[in-house]
Amino acid sequence: MAKIYLSHNNIVSAYGFHTQAAITNIKNEVSSLQLLEDKRILPHPFYASRIDQNQLLEEYHKLSPKEAHTRLEQMLLVSLSDTLSKANIELTERVGLIISTTKGNIDVLEERNPFPEERAYLGTLGTKIQEFFGFKNKAIVLSNACVSGVLGVAAAKRFIQQGTYDHVFVVGGDLVTQFILSGFNAFQALSEEPCRPYCKTRTGINIGEVAASVLVTKDSQKTIPESVEVIGEASCNDANHISGPSRTGEGLYKSIKVALEHSGHSAEVIDYISAHGTATAFNDEMEAIAFNRAGLEKTPLNSLKGYFGHTLGASGLLETIIGMYSLHQNTLFASKGFQELGVSMPLNIIQKTVSKNCNTFLKTASGFGGCNTAVIFQKLQEY
């Protein structure tokens, strides 16, 4: 079966409009979370990570758009444009496009938004991105709660291995909106301070927004320094609850177990885990149970939510890209905000950014409706 690689990528975030801006700040343990006040979307101040709109418009207008685009579309276009430019691949029928998002253009349903309500349809979002760049194939919009981003990578791998495409560009994004904030506020899941995944004193999540994109391809990427190979992946839905995770970690455990089986390796080969780590009481506890069941309780683990907040459907793709650089820089990034373990099972939380020779990492994600995905990545041997 063909080997599948991830290489060219770009992250648009509150840190800036290129991946390196995010990497530099994470390495220095600088969070992009800020205390914001916007009564249009939440009546009280809240911590979140938001992209500067003026800077976004400046980058977006460099693309010379011929029609108006929503804020999310602007983010996706800016991110994907950079990745397409670096990849320099002709957009033939052998090239696919996957767009990963939880809520897409949900903000067009808010008051004072100039776009028609029909713009909120996910299919319309896909068409706008596809047509802007001239992809020959219809965009596949993958919306499966908070596993959407990493699931996009797994889906791209399968499309290539079954012969549908030779290359797939995956781009993911979500926004900080009234709909999202009010929903999590109703769950009493929003933290009034920067989030602290896995910490005993954690009080909930912060929401963030990013757009991230990556090339998934069957072509050898040995000359691209940050490239990795996908060596195992799996998804499992435990159907536990519409919003609550399984108390036994069943779906996540099975996803990890099958991904390891597909990779041909045991848990001992994993050098570190890029976990979901939302900083809610139930999610972090579920993950701790699943990782222990999988024999990964001693494996170094981090959550990047303390840097970006929870970026919903984009989070898994964003964190995969950060993981690629973590491997190639032989650096384990600190799980920002962590102070004292606050789950019932042992975990090896990365408390300070440290150097460590790394070859393989596991990316996991879990989401509403019981969805879970695990993907294992390996550094190319030349590096």
Side-chain angles (χ1 to χ4, degrees):
M1 190 164 295
K3 292 185 176 182
I4 306 299
Y5 306 94
L6 272 66
S7 58
H8 303 286
N9 61 83
N10 187 42
I11 294 171
V12 169
S13 70
Y15 292 121
F17 295 84
H18 298 283
T19 300
Q20 192 55 53
I23 298 296
T24 299
N25 280 278
I26 293 169
K27 187 176 287 188
N28 293 325
E29 299 182 23
V30 177
S31 176
S32 67
L33 292 168
Q34 293 183 326
L35 183 62
L36 304 175
E37 188 167 2
D38 187 343
K39 289 186 170 23
R40 295 173 303 172
I41 58 178
L42 204 65
H44 53 77
F46 57 95
Y47 274 92
S49 176
R50 299 191 80 178
I51 295 169
D52 183 270
Q53 181 60 18
N54 290 330
Q55 293 180 10
L56 175 61
L57 284 173
E58 183 178 335
E59 294 296 318
Y60 166 67
H61 286 307
K62 291 178 183 178
L63 304 179
S64 301
K66 293 181 173 58
E67 64 171 302
H69 290 88
T70 68
R71 188 163 189 272
L72 176 62
E73 290 163 6
Q74 293 170 13
M75 290 161 51
L76 297 175
L77 292 173
V78 170
S79 176
L80 186 54
S81 175
D82 185 83
T83 298
L84 284 166
S85 176
K86 289 184 289 191
N88 194 28
I89 291 173
E90 183 182 358
L91 299 183
T92 68
E93 290 78 6
R94 302 297 300 166
V95 180
L97 172 64
I98 293 177
I99 300 172
S100 296
T101 184
T102 295
K103 298 310 298 182
N105 285 320
I106 192 68
D107 59 322
V108 305
L109 303 181
E110 297 176 4
E111 293 182 9
R112 296 181 296 278
N113 194 292
F115 292 92
E117 292 184 357
E118 291 75 14
R119 201 61 172 258
Y121 296 156
L122 292 176
T124 302
L125 170 64
T127 298
K128 292 297 180 183
I129 305 302
Q130 170 202 337
E131 291 182 346
F132 184 90
F133 292 111
F135 280 87
K136 299 297 190 296
N137 297 295
K138 185 176 181 180
I140 298 167
V141 182
L142 204 165
S143 182
N144 191 16
C146 298
V147 308
S148 300
V150 70
L151 186 59
V153 172
K157 166 185 171 288
R158 296 189 186 192
F159 276 125
I160 295 171
Q161 288 186 330
Q162 72 185 20
T164 303
Y165 301 119
D166 296 326
H167 321 280
V168 178
F169 288 92
V170 182
V171 59
D174 266 302
L175 300 169
V176 174
T177 66
Q178 179 183 24
F179 182 92
I180 299 298
L181 287 173
S182 61
F184 280 104
N185 193 46
F187 283 144
Q188 298 183 337
L190 285 182
S191 176
E192 295 181 352
E193 53 192 4
C195 64
R196 298 189 296 280
Y198 308 106
C199 188
K200 185 176 182 179
T201 56
R202 68 190 185 278
T203 56
I205 70 170
N206 311 129
I207 299 300
E209 57 187 22
V210 303
S213 54
V214 70
L215 169 65
V216 185
T217 177
K218 69 177 185 179
D219 288 354
S220 175
Q221 299 292 294
K222 295 176 183 178
T223 61
I224 311 300
E226 67 268 22
S227 297
V228 295
E229 180 185 349
V230 184
I231 62 172
E233 49 84 12
S235 295
C236 178
N237 192 304
D238 52 46
N240 177 73
H241 187 268
I242 192 170
S243 63
S246 165
R247 300 299 187 265
T248 63
E250 191 66 20
L252 181 57
Y253 164 69
K254 286 183 176 178
S255 296
I256 296 169
K257 182 174 180 290
V258 174
L260 283 167
E261 290 173 355
H262 285 179
S263 75
H265 295 292
S266 62
E268 287 72 24
V269 79
I270 304 298
D271 290 308
Y272 88 96
I273 303 166
S274 176
H276 195 51
T278 62
T280 61
F282 292 131
N283 175 86
D284 292 8
E285 175 68 11
M286 177 278 289
E287 288 188 85
I289 293 169
F291 290 135
N292 274 261
R293 289 181 65 186
L296 292 164
E297 66 275 9
K298 294 181 180 180
T299 305
L301 174 152
N302 69 10
S303 165
L304 297 175
K305 301 298 190 292
Y307 298 98
F308 297 94
H310 191 350
T311 57
L312 307 178
S315 62
L317 183 59
L318 162 72
E319 292 155 10
T320 291
I321 294 170
I322 301 297
M324 292 164 61
Y325 284 81
S326 187
L327 277 193
H328 283 282
Q329 295 182 9
N330 290 310
T331 302
L332 298 181
F333 299 125
S335 192
K336 190 168 181 63
F338 179 82
Q339 299 168 348
E340 179 183 0
L341 191 65
V343 292
S344 65
M345 305 290 283
L347 290 174
N348 184 9
I349 307 297
I350 304 168
Q351 299 188 45
K352 291 184 178 181
T353 297
V354 296
S355 296
K356 179 188 175 182
N357 185 43
C358 298
N359 291 299
T360 306
F361 82 96
L362 167 67
K363 176 72 202 111
T364 64
S366 301
F368 283 2
C371 53
N372 301 272
T373 300
V375 183
I376 302 172
F377 301 93
Q378 181 173 275
K379 186 191 300 183
L380 300 190
Q381 296 306 309
E382 281 70 10
Y383 297 94

